[in-house]
mmCIF file of all heavy atoms in Angstrom:
data_model
loop_
_atom_site.group_PDB
_atom_site.id
_atom_site.type_symbol
_atom_site.label_atom_id
_atom_site.label_comp_id
_atom_site.label_asym_id
_atom_site.label_seq_id
_atom_site.Cartn_x
_atom_site.Cartn_y
_atom_site.Cartn_z
ATOM 1 N N ASP A 1 -25.698 31.563 -6.072
ATOM 2 C CA ASP A 1 -24.608 30.776 -6.643
ATOM 3 C C ASP A 1 -23.292 31.113 -5.960
ATOM 4 O O ASP A 1 -22.977 32.293 -5.743
ATOM 5 C CB ASP A 1 -24.465 31.055 -8.143
ATOM 6 C CG ASP A 1 -25.514 30.322 -8.970
ATOM 7 O OD1 ASP A 1 -26.455 29.777 -8.374
ATOM 8 O OD2 ASP A 1 -25.383 30.312 -10.212
ATOM 9 N N LYS A 2 -22.497 30.078 -5.681
ATOM 10 C CA LYS A 2 -21.130 30.241 -5.205
ATOM 11 C C LYS A 2 -20.209 29.660 -6.272
ATOM 12 O O LYS A 2 -20.398 28.526 -6.723
ATOM 13 C CB LYS A 2 -20.939 29.520 -3.854
ATOM 14 C CG LYS A 2 -21.718 30.155 -2.715
ATOM 15 C CD LYS A 2 -21.225 31.565 -2.397
ATOM 16 C CE LYS A 2 -21.940 32.177 -1.192
ATOM 17 N NZ LYS A 2 -21.439 33.528 -0.870
ATOM 18 N N TRP A 3 -19.208 30.434 -6.663
ATOM 19 C CA TRP A 3 -18.486 30.200 -7.906
ATOM 20 C C TRP A 3 -17.288 29.261 -7.737
ATOM 21 O O TRP A 3 -16.939 28.527 -8.662
ATOM 22 C CB TRP A 3 -18.028 31.540 -8.447
ATOM 23 C CG TRP A 3 -17.230 31.499 -9.706
ATOM 24 C CD1 TRP A 3 -15.945 31.939 -9.886
ATOM 25 C CD2 TRP A 3 -17.653 31.011 -10.996
ATOM 26 N NE1 TRP A 3 -15.554 31.754 -11.184
ATOM 27 C CE2 TRP A 3 -16.587 31.193 -11.889
ATOM 28 C CE3 TRP A 3 -18.838 30.449 -11.479
ATOM 29 C CZ2 TRP A 3 -16.652 30.836 -13.239
ATOM 30 C CZ3 TRP A 3 -18.912 30.082 -12.812
ATOM 31 C CH2 TRP A 3 -17.819 30.275 -13.680
ATOM 32 N N PHE A 4 -16.631 29.281 -6.569
ATOM 33 C CA PHE A 4 -15.424 28.452 -6.396
ATOM 34 C C PHE A 4 -15.458 27.855 -4.999
ATOM 35 O O PHE A 4 -15.144 28.518 -4.029
ATOM 36 C CB PHE A 4 -14.151 29.297 -6.588
ATOM 37 C CG PHE A 4 -13.004 28.512 -7.139
ATOM 38 C CD1 PHE A 4 -12.467 28.801 -8.387
ATOM 39 C CD2 PHE A 4 -12.444 27.469 -6.417
ATOM 40 C CE1 PHE A 4 -11.406 28.073 -8.910
ATOM 41 C CE2 PHE A 4 -11.376 26.739 -6.923
ATOM 42 C CZ PHE A 4 -10.860 27.037 -8.177
ATOM 43 N N CYS A 5 -15.864 26.599 -4.926
ATOM 44 C CA CYS A 5 -16.067 25.925 -3.645
ATOM 45 C C CYS A 5 -15.220 24.662 -3.601
ATOM 46 O O CYS A 5 -15.560 23.663 -4.253
ATOM 47 C CB CYS A 5 -17.544 25.561 -3.457
ATOM 48 S SG CYS A 5 -18.665 26.963 -3.637
ATOM 49 N N SER A 6 -14.128 24.702 -2.864
ATOM 50 C CA SER A 6 -13.302 23.508 -2.727
ATOM 51 C C SER A 6 -13.925 22.567 -1.699
ATOM 52 O O SER A 6 -14.573 23.006 -0.756
ATOM 53 C CB SER A 6 -11.882 23.889 -2.337
ATOM 54 O OG SER A 6 -11.245 24.516 -3.418
ATOM 55 N N ASN A 7 -13.704 21.267 -1.920
ATOM 56 C CA ASN A 7 -14.331 20.235 -1.092
ATOM 57 C C ASN A 7 -15.850 20.406 -1.109
ATOM 58 O O ASN A 7 -16.507 20.480 -0.062
ATOM 59 C CB ASN A 7 -13.791 20.293 0.332
ATOM 60 C CG ASN A 7 -13.800 18.942 1.026
ATOM 61 O OD1 ASN A 7 -13.800 17.899 0.373
ATOM 62 N ND2 ASN A 7 -13.803 18.945 2.334
ATOM 63 N N PRO A 8 -16.479 20.456 -2.280
ATOM 64 C CA PRO A 8 -17.886 20.865 -2.377
ATOM 65 C C PRO A 8 -18.876 19.874 -1.790
ATOM 66 O O PRO A 8 -20.022 20.240 -1.544
ATOM 67 C CB PRO A 8 -18.101 21.009 -3.894
ATOM 68 C CG PRO A 8 -17.111 20.079 -4.509
ATOM 69 C CD PRO A 8 -15.906 20.163 -3.614
ATOM 70 N N ASP A 9 -18.441 18.634 -1.556
ATOM 71 C CA ASP A 9 -19.351 17.662 -0.949
ATOM 72 C C ASP A 9 -19.067 17.472 0.532
ATOM 73 O O ASP A 9 -19.419 16.439 1.116
ATOM 74 C CB ASP A 9 -19.266 16.315 -1.686
ATOM 75 C CG ASP A 9 -17.898 15.662 -1.548
ATOM 76 O OD1 ASP A 9 -16.908 16.395 -1.306
ATOM 77 O OD2 ASP A 9 -17.812 14.421 -1.676
ATOM 78 N N ALA A 10 -18.436 18.460 1.158
ATOM 79 C CA ALA A 10 -18.127 18.369 2.581
ATOM 80 C C ALA A 10 -19.399 18.233 3.421
ATOM 81 O O ALA A 10 -20.481 18.686 3.012
ATOM 82 C CB ALA A 10 -17.357 19.611 3.024
ATOM 83 N N GLY A 11 -19.256 17.639 4.574
ATOM 84 C CA GLY A 11 -20.414 17.469 5.459
ATOM 85 C C GLY A 11 -20.984 18.794 5.928
ATOM 86 O O GLY A 11 -22.212 18.922 6.122
ATOM 87 N N TYR A 12 -20.119 19.786 6.136
ATOM 88 C CA TYR A 12 -20.546 21.125 6.556
ATOM 89 C C TYR A 12 -19.721 22.173 5.821
ATOM 90 O O TYR A 12 -18.549 21.948 5.525
ATOM 91 C CB TYR A 12 -20.365 21.324 8.054
ATOM 92 C CG TYR A 12 -21.267 20.462 8.914
ATOM 93 C CD1 TYR A 12 -20.766 19.309 9.525
ATOM 94 C CD2 TYR A 12 -22.599 20.788 9.114
ATOM 95 C CE1 TYR A 12 -21.573 18.510 10.309
ATOM 96 C CE2 TYR A 12 -23.419 19.985 9.896
ATOM 97 C CZ TYR A 12 -22.905 18.853 10.485
ATOM 98 O OH TYR A 12 -23.727 18.057 11.260
ATOM 99 N N ALA A 13 -20.335 23.313 5.543
ATOM 100 C CA ALA A 13 -19.617 24.424 4.934
ATOM 101 C C ALA A 13 -20.033 25.725 5.588
ATOM 102 O O ALA A 13 -21.216 25.929 5.900
ATOM 103 C CB ALA A 13 -19.888 24.490 3.433
ATOM 104 N N MET A 14 -19.060 26.601 5.816
ATOM 105 C CA MET A 14 -19.349 27.961 6.227
ATOM 106 C C MET A 14 -19.653 28.782 4.972
ATOM 107 O O MET A 14 -18.903 28.724 3.993
ATOM 108 C CB MET A 14 -18.171 28.580 6.975
ATOM 109 C CG MET A 14 -17.949 28.011 8.365
ATOM 110 S SD MET A 14 -19.240 28.543 9.518
ATOM 111 C CE MET A 14 -18.583 27.913 11.064
ATOM 112 N N VAL A 15 -20.778 29.527 5.006
ATOM 113 C CA VAL A 15 -21.247 30.254 3.826
ATOM 114 C C VAL A 15 -21.568 31.696 4.208
ATOM 115 O O VAL A 15 -22.193 31.949 5.253
ATOM 116 C CB VAL A 15 -22.513 29.601 3.242
ATOM 117 C CG1 VAL A 15 -22.952 30.312 1.976
ATOM 118 C CG2 VAL A 15 -22.280 28.115 2.960
ATOM 119 N N LEU A 16 -21.152 32.627 3.384
ATOM 120 C CA LEU A 16 -21.543 34.025 3.546
ATOM 121 C C LEU A 16 -22.759 34.317 2.670
ATOM 122 O O LEU A 16 -22.807 33.944 1.497
ATOM 123 C CB LEU A 16 -20.405 34.962 3.149
ATOM 124 C CG LEU A 16 -19.218 35.058 4.116
ATOM 125 C CD1 LEU A 16 -18.149 35.966 3.535
ATOM 126 C CD2 LEU A 16 -19.650 35.549 5.494
ATOM 127 N N ALA A 17 -23.761 34.973 3.256
ATOM 128 C CA ALA A 17 -24.968 35.323 2.515
ATOM 129 C C ALA A 17 -25.525 36.629 3.059
ATOM 130 O O ALA A 17 -25.323 36.976 4.231
ATOM 131 C CB ALA A 17 -26.008 34.214 2.602
ATOM 132 N N ARG A 18 -26.260 37.338 2.217
ATOM 133 C CA ARG A 18 -26.809 38.635 2.598
ATOM 134 C C ARG A 18 -28.151 38.435 3.300
ATOM 135 O O ARG A 18 -29.143 38.036 2.691
ATOM 136 C CB ARG A 18 -26.969 39.508 1.339
ATOM 137 C CG ARG A 18 -27.360 40.960 1.636
ATOM 138 C CD ARG A 18 -27.126 41.822 0.415
ATOM 139 N NE ARG A 18 -25.729 41.857 0.023
ATOM 140 C CZ ARG A 18 -24.795 42.585 0.648
ATOM 141 N NH1 ARG A 18 -25.139 43.332 1.694
ATOM 142 N NH2 ARG A 18 -23.548 42.572 0.236
ATOM 143 N N SER A 19 -28.159 38.735 4.596
ATOM 144 C CA SER A 19 -29.366 38.555 5.403
ATOM 145 C C SER A 19 -30.077 39.872 5.703
ATOM 146 O O SER A 19 -31.223 39.881 6.157
ATOM 147 C CB SER A 19 -29.001 37.876 6.734
ATOM 148 O OG SER A 19 -28.121 38.712 7.481
ATOM 149 N N GLU A 20 -29.404 41.007 5.459
ATOM 150 C CA GLU A 20 -29.954 42.320 5.796
ATOM 151 C C GLU A 20 -30.076 43.158 4.521
ATOM 152 O O GLU A 20 -29.400 42.900 3.527
ATOM 153 C CB GLU A 20 -29.055 43.037 6.807
ATOM 154 C CG GLU A 20 -28.550 42.152 7.946
ATOM 155 C CD GLU A 20 -29.645 41.522 8.756
ATOM 156 O OE1 GLU A 20 -30.606 42.236 9.095
ATOM 157 O OE2 GLU A 20 -29.557 40.302 9.054
ATOM 158 N N ARG A 21 -30.884 44.171 4.579
ATOM 159 C CA ARG A 21 -31.070 45.065 3.434
ATOM 160 C C ARG A 21 -29.944 46.069 3.294
ATOM 161 O O ARG A 21 -29.816 46.745 2.273
ATOM 162 C CB ARG A 21 -32.413 45.791 3.538
ATOM 163 C CG ARG A 21 -33.618 44.860 3.412
ATOM 164 C CD ARG A 21 -34.915 45.649 3.437
ATOM 165 N NE ARG A 21 -36.083 44.777 3.244
ATOM 166 C CZ ARG A 21 -37.321 45.198 3.224
ATOM 167 N NH1 ARG A 21 -37.585 46.496 3.372
ATOM 168 N NH2 ARG A 21 -38.307 44.341 3.060
ATOM 169 N N GLU A 22 -29.119 46.202 4.321
ATOM 170 C CA GLU A 22 -28.017 47.156 4.282
ATOM 171 C C GLU A 22 -27.009 46.740 3.216
ATOM 172 O O GLU A 22 -26.706 45.560 3.054
ATOM 173 C CB GLU A 22 -27.326 47.216 5.634
ATOM 174 C CG GLU A 22 -28.199 47.722 6.760
ATOM 175 C CD GLU A 22 -27.441 47.713 8.071
ATOM 176 O OE1 GLU A 22 -26.591 48.598 8.256
ATOM 177 O OE2 GLU A 22 -27.698 46.824 8.897
ATOM 178 N N PRO A 23 -26.467 47.701 2.483
ATOM 179 C CA PRO A 23 -25.467 47.373 1.458
ATOM 180 C C PRO A 23 -24.115 47.089 2.095
ATOM 181 O O PRO A 23 -23.875 47.383 3.277
ATOM 182 C CB PRO A 23 -25.427 48.650 0.603
ATOM 183 C CG PRO A 23 -25.783 49.746 1.570
ATOM 184 C CD PRO A 23 -26.788 49.141 2.524
ATOM 185 N N GLY A 24 -23.220 46.531 1.286
ATOM 186 C CA GLY A 24 -21.853 46.318 1.740
ATOM 187 C C GLY A 24 -21.743 45.192 2.752
ATOM 188 O O GLY A 24 -22.601 44.313 2.877
ATOM 189 N N LEU A 25 -20.658 45.225 3.524
ATOM 190 C CA LEU A 25 -20.375 44.149 4.471
ATOM 191 C C LEU A 25 -21.394 44.086 5.599
ATOM 192 O O LEU A 25 -21.607 43.012 6.190
ATOM 193 C CB LEU A 25 -18.967 44.332 5.067
ATOM 194 C CG LEU A 25 -17.783 44.082 4.108
ATOM 195 C CD1 LEU A 25 -16.472 44.394 4.807
ATOM 196 C CD2 LEU A 25 -17.785 42.643 3.624
ATOM 197 N N LYS A 26 -22.041 45.208 5.921
ATOM 198 C CA LYS A 26 -22.957 45.229 7.064
ATOM 199 C C LYS A 26 -24.151 44.309 6.880
ATOM 200 O O LYS A 26 -24.776 43.919 7.863
ATOM 201 C CB LYS A 26 -23.432 46.664 7.320
ATOM 202 C CG LYS A 26 -22.343 47.597 7.806
ATOM 203 C CD LYS A 26 -22.893 48.986 8.069
ATOM 204 C CE LYS A 26 -21.803 49.926 8.570
ATOM 205 N NZ LYS A 26 -22.339 51.292 8.817
ATOM 206 N N GLY A 27 -24.485 43.987 5.640
ATOM 207 C CA GLY A 27 -25.651 43.150 5.415
ATOM 208 C C GLY A 27 -25.345 41.675 5.288
ATOM 209 O O GLY A 27 -26.250 40.860 5.059
ATOM 210 N N VAL A 28 -24.050 41.287 5.460
ATOM 211 C CA VAL A 28 -23.632 39.906 5.221
ATOM 212 C C VAL A 28 -23.512 39.157 6.540
ATOM 213 O O VAL A 28 -22.921 39.649 7.498
ATOM 214 C CB VAL A 28 -22.286 39.868 4.455
ATOM 215 C CG1 VAL A 28 -21.793 38.432 4.292
ATOM 216 C CG2 VAL A 28 -22.436 40.530 3.095
ATOM 217 N N SER A 29 -24.078 37.959 6.589
ATOM 218 C CA SER A 29 -24.017 37.111 7.787
ATOM 219 C C SER A 29 -23.349 35.786 7.447
ATOM 220 O O SER A 29 -23.219 35.395 6.280
ATOM 221 C CB SER A 29 -25.420 36.850 8.342
ATOM 222 O OG SER A 29 -26.033 38.052 8.765
ATOM 223 N N LEU A 30 -22.930 35.086 8.500
ATOM 224 C CA LEU A 30 -22.247 33.807 8.356
ATOM 225 C C LEU A 30 -23.197 32.677 8.710
ATOM 226 O O LEU A 30 -23.898 32.743 9.734
ATOM 227 C CB LEU A 30 -21.011 33.766 9.262
ATOM 228 C CG LEU A 30 -20.160 32.502 9.228
ATOM 229 C CD1 LEU A 30 -19.561 32.292 7.838
ATOM 230 C CD2 LEU A 30 -19.050 32.578 10.277
ATOM 231 N N PHE A 31 -23.201 31.638 7.888
ATOM 232 C CA PHE A 31 -24.097 30.503 8.088
ATOM 233 C C PHE A 31 -23.313 29.188 7.995
ATOM 234 O O PHE A 31 -22.305 29.097 7.280
ATOM 235 C CB PHE A 31 -25.215 30.493 7.038
ATOM 236 C CG PHE A 31 -26.124 31.681 7.123
ATOM 237 C CD1 PHE A 31 -25.831 32.850 6.427
ATOM 238 C CD2 PHE A 31 -27.264 31.639 7.920
ATOM 239 C CE1 PHE A 31 -26.661 33.958 6.517
ATOM 240 C CE2 PHE A 31 -28.095 32.749 8.017
ATOM 241 C CZ PHE A 31 -27.799 33.908 7.311
ATOM 242 N N LEU A 32 -23.833 28.196 8.714
ATOM 243 C CA LEU A 32 -23.301 26.838 8.609
ATOM 244 C C LEU A 32 -24.283 26.005 7.803
ATOM 245 O O LEU A 32 -25.446 25.845 8.180
ATOM 246 C CB LEU A 32 -23.106 26.220 9.995
ATOM 247 C CG LEU A 32 -22.501 24.812 10.005
ATOM 248 C CD1 LEU A 32 -21.058 24.845 9.502
ATOM 249 C CD2 LEU A 32 -22.557 24.196 11.406
ATOM 250 N N LEU A 33 -23.790 25.487 6.672
ATOM 251 C CA LEU A 33 -24.623 24.748 5.731
ATOM 252 C C LEU A 33 -24.339 23.256 5.865
ATOM 253 O O LEU A 33 -23.222 22.818 5.603
ATOM 254 C CB LEU A 33 -24.301 25.211 4.307
ATOM 255 C CG LEU A 33 -24.964 24.466 3.156
ATOM 256 C CD1 LEU A 33 -26.418 24.908 3.004
ATOM 257 C CD2 LEU A 33 -24.195 24.708 1.850
ATOM 258 N N PRO A 34 -25.340 22.435 6.256
ATOM 259 C CA PRO A 34 -25.115 20.988 6.291
ATOM 260 C C PRO A 34 -25.338 20.367 4.922
ATOM 261 O O PRO A 34 -26.204 20.815 4.157
ATOM 262 C CB PRO A 34 -26.163 20.501 7.294
ATOM 263 C CG PRO A 34 -27.299 21.477 7.129
ATOM 264 C CD PRO A 34 -26.678 22.804 6.779
ATOM 265 N N ARG A 35 -24.588 19.355 4.594
ATOM 266 C CA ARG A 35 -24.800 18.673 3.325
ATOM 267 C C ARG A 35 -26.125 17.922 3.325
ATOM 268 O O ARG A 35 -26.843 17.896 2.317
ATOM 269 C CB ARG A 35 -23.659 17.685 3.059
ATOM 270 C CG ARG A 35 -23.774 16.923 1.735
ATOM 271 C CD ARG A 35 -22.631 15.932 1.584
ATOM 272 N NE ARG A 35 -22.646 14.943 2.669
ATOM 273 C CZ ARG A 35 -21.611 14.211 3.033
ATOM 274 N NH1 ARG A 35 -20.449 14.354 2.400
ATOM 275 N NH2 ARG A 35 -21.698 13.345 4.011
ATOM 276 N N ASP A 36 -26.473 17.319 4.471
ATOM 277 C CA ASP A 36 -27.666 16.487 4.557
ATOM 278 C C ASP A 36 -28.653 17.048 5.567
ATOM 279 O O ASP A 36 -28.272 17.636 6.576
ATOM 280 C CB ASP A 36 -27.283 15.057 4.958
ATOM 281 C CG ASP A 36 -26.325 14.421 3.956
ATOM 282 O OD1 ASP A 36 -26.567 14.584 2.743
ATOM 283 O OD2 ASP A 36 -25.344 13.786 4.385
ATOM 284 N N LEU A 37 -29.929 16.854 5.285
ATOM 285 C CA LEU A 37 -30.996 17.265 6.186
ATOM 286 C C LEU A 37 -31.212 16.194 7.265
ATOM 287 O O LEU A 37 -30.747 15.063 7.123
ATOM 288 C CB LEU A 37 -32.281 17.476 5.384
ATOM 289 C CG LEU A 37 -32.195 18.566 4.304
ATOM 290 C CD1 LEU A 37 -33.441 18.555 3.439
ATOM 291 C CD2 LEU A 37 -31.968 19.935 4.941
ATOM 292 N N PRO A 38 -31.913 16.545 8.345
ATOM 293 C CA PRO A 38 -32.110 15.566 9.430
ATOM 294 C C PRO A 38 -32.762 14.263 8.991
ATOM 295 O O PRO A 38 -32.518 13.203 9.579
ATOM 296 C CB PRO A 38 -33.012 16.326 10.424
ATOM 297 C CG PRO A 38 -32.686 17.759 10.180
ATOM 298 C CD PRO A 38 -32.422 17.874 8.705
ATOM 299 N N ASP A 39 -33.597 14.298 7.940
ATOM 300 C CA ASP A 39 -34.250 13.070 7.480
ATOM 301 C C ASP A 39 -33.378 12.253 6.530
ATOM 302 O O ASP A 39 -33.831 11.245 5.961
ATOM 303 C CB ASP A 39 -35.599 13.388 6.817
ATOM 304 C CG ASP A 39 -35.450 14.275 5.585
ATOM 305 O OD1 ASP A 39 -34.307 14.522 5.142
ATOM 306 O OD2 ASP A 39 -36.489 14.728 5.067
ATOM 307 N N GLY A 40 -32.125 12.673 6.321
ATOM 308 C CA GLY A 40 -31.204 11.929 5.476
ATOM 309 C C GLY A 40 -31.160 12.399 4.041
ATOM 310 O O GLY A 40 -30.267 11.989 3.285
ATOM 311 N N ARG A 41 -32.100 13.238 3.621
ATOM 312 C CA ARG A 41 -32.079 13.753 2.258
ATOM 313 C C ARG A 41 -30.972 14.793 2.085
ATOM 314 O O ARG A 41 -30.578 15.455 3.043
ATOM 315 C CB ARG A 41 -33.428 14.382 1.902
ATOM 316 C CG ARG A 41 -34.586 13.401 1.767
ATOM 317 C CD ARG A 41 -35.873 14.154 1.426
ATOM 318 N NE ARG A 41 -36.213 15.150 2.450
ATOM 319 C CZ ARG A 41 -36.626 16.387 2.191
ATOM 320 N NH1 ARG A 41 -36.753 16.787 0.941
ATOM 321 N NH2 ARG A 41 -36.930 17.207 3.176
ATOM 322 N N HIS A 42 -30.514 14.883 0.842
ATOM 323 C CA HIS A 42 -29.513 15.896 0.538
ATOM 324 C C HIS A 42 -30.147 17.285 0.670
ATOM 325 O O HIS A 42 -31.303 17.492 0.279
ATOM 326 C CB HIS A 42 -28.980 15.702 -0.884
ATOM 327 C CG HIS A 42 -27.884 16.661 -1.274
ATOM 328 N ND1 HIS A 42 -26.676 16.718 -0.639
ATOM 329 C CD2 HIS A 42 -27.834 17.624 -2.231
ATOM 330 C CE1 HIS A 42 -25.932 17.650 -1.182
ATOM 331 N NE2 HIS A 42 -26.611 18.226 -2.164
ATOM 332 N N ASN A 43 -29.405 18.227 1.226
ATOM 333 C CA ASN A 43 -29.883 19.598 1.377
ATOM 334 C C ASN A 43 -30.139 20.209 -0.006
ATOM 335 O O ASN A 43 -29.700 19.695 -1.032
ATOM 336 C CB ASN A 43 -28.852 20.418 2.153
ATOM 337 C CG ASN A 43 -29.440 21.644 2.817
ATOM 338 O OD1 ASN A 43 -30.593 22.007 2.592
ATOM 339 N ND2 ASN A 43 -28.643 22.293 3.648
ATOM 340 N N HIS A 44 -30.852 21.324 0.004
ATOM 341 C CA HIS A 44 -31.345 21.900 -1.252
ATOM 342 C C HIS A 44 -30.274 22.750 -1.939
ATOM 343 O O HIS A 44 -30.389 23.977 -2.043
ATOM 344 C CB HIS A 44 -32.606 22.714 -0.981
ATOM 345 C CG HIS A 44 -33.689 21.919 -0.320
ATOM 346 N ND1 HIS A 44 -34.270 20.808 -0.903
ATOM 347 C CD2 HIS A 44 -34.265 22.059 0.906
ATOM 348 C CE1 HIS A 44 -35.172 20.314 -0.082
ATOM 349 N NE2 HIS A 44 -35.189 21.037 1.020
ATOM 350 N N TYR A 45 -29.220 22.085 -2.397
ATOM 351 C CA TYR A 45 -28.235 22.747 -3.247
ATOM 352 C C TYR A 45 -27.618 21.702 -4.165
ATOM 353 O O TYR A 45 -27.649 20.513 -3.890
ATOM 354 C CB TYR A 45 -27.163 23.480 -2.438
ATOM 355 C CG TYR A 45 -26.238 22.620 -1.608
ATOM 356 C CD1 TYR A 45 -25.064 22.103 -2.153
ATOM 357 C CD2 TYR A 45 -26.506 22.351 -0.267
ATOM 358 C CE1 TYR A 45 -24.195 21.334 -1.405
ATOM 359 C CE2 TYR A 45 -25.642 21.584 0.497
ATOM 360 C CZ TYR A 45 -24.488 21.083 -0.071
ATOM 361 O OH TYR A 45 -23.624 20.312 0.679
ATOM 362 N N ARG A 46 -27.080 22.192 -5.281
ATOM 363 C CA ARG A 46 -26.507 21.303 -6.284
ATOM 364 C C ARG A 46 -25.076 21.712 -6.597
ATOM 365 O O ARG A 46 -24.743 22.898 -6.599
ATOM 366 C CB ARG A 46 -27.326 21.342 -7.572
ATOM 367 C CG ARG A 46 -28.695 20.685 -7.470
ATOM 368 C CD ARG A 46 -29.397 20.706 -8.820
ATOM 369 N NE ARG A 46 -29.762 22.068 -9.228
ATOM 370 C CZ ARG A 46 -29.783 22.483 -10.486
ATOM 371 N NH1 ARG A 46 -29.419 21.671 -11.469
ATOM 372 N NH2 ARG A 46 -30.162 23.726 -10.778
ATOM 373 N N ILE A 47 -24.247 20.714 -6.887
ATOM 374 C CA ILE A 47 -22.931 20.956 -7.454
ATOM 375 C C ILE A 47 -23.115 20.963 -8.976
ATOM 376 O O ILE A 47 -23.450 19.935 -9.566
ATOM 377 C CB ILE A 47 -21.918 19.869 -7.037
ATOM 378 C CG1 ILE A 47 -21.858 19.745 -5.506
ATOM 379 C CG2 ILE A 47 -20.532 20.187 -7.597
ATOM 380 C CD1 ILE A 47 -21.014 18.579 -5.026
ATOM 381 N N LEU A 48 -22.933 22.120 -9.582
ATOM 382 C CA LEU A 48 -23.209 22.242 -11.011
ATOM 383 C C LEU A 48 -22.121 21.610 -11.877
ATOM 384 O O LEU A 48 -22.413 21.007 -12.914
ATOM 385 C CB LEU A 48 -23.377 23.714 -11.393
ATOM 386 C CG LEU A 48 -24.512 24.453 -10.674
ATOM 387 C CD1 LEU A 48 -24.551 25.901 -11.133
ATOM 388 C CD2 LEU A 48 -25.854 23.777 -10.920
#
């Protein structure tokens, strides 16, 4: 869950997520999240 996301229906979003088992900042990576998948379907996330 991401708690405060401005422009939540943007075409792309930069997202921080924990990709490593290391604690703290060392385990966090940066990702680019597309709103839509290549087949045109909405990506697997919801605006609550």
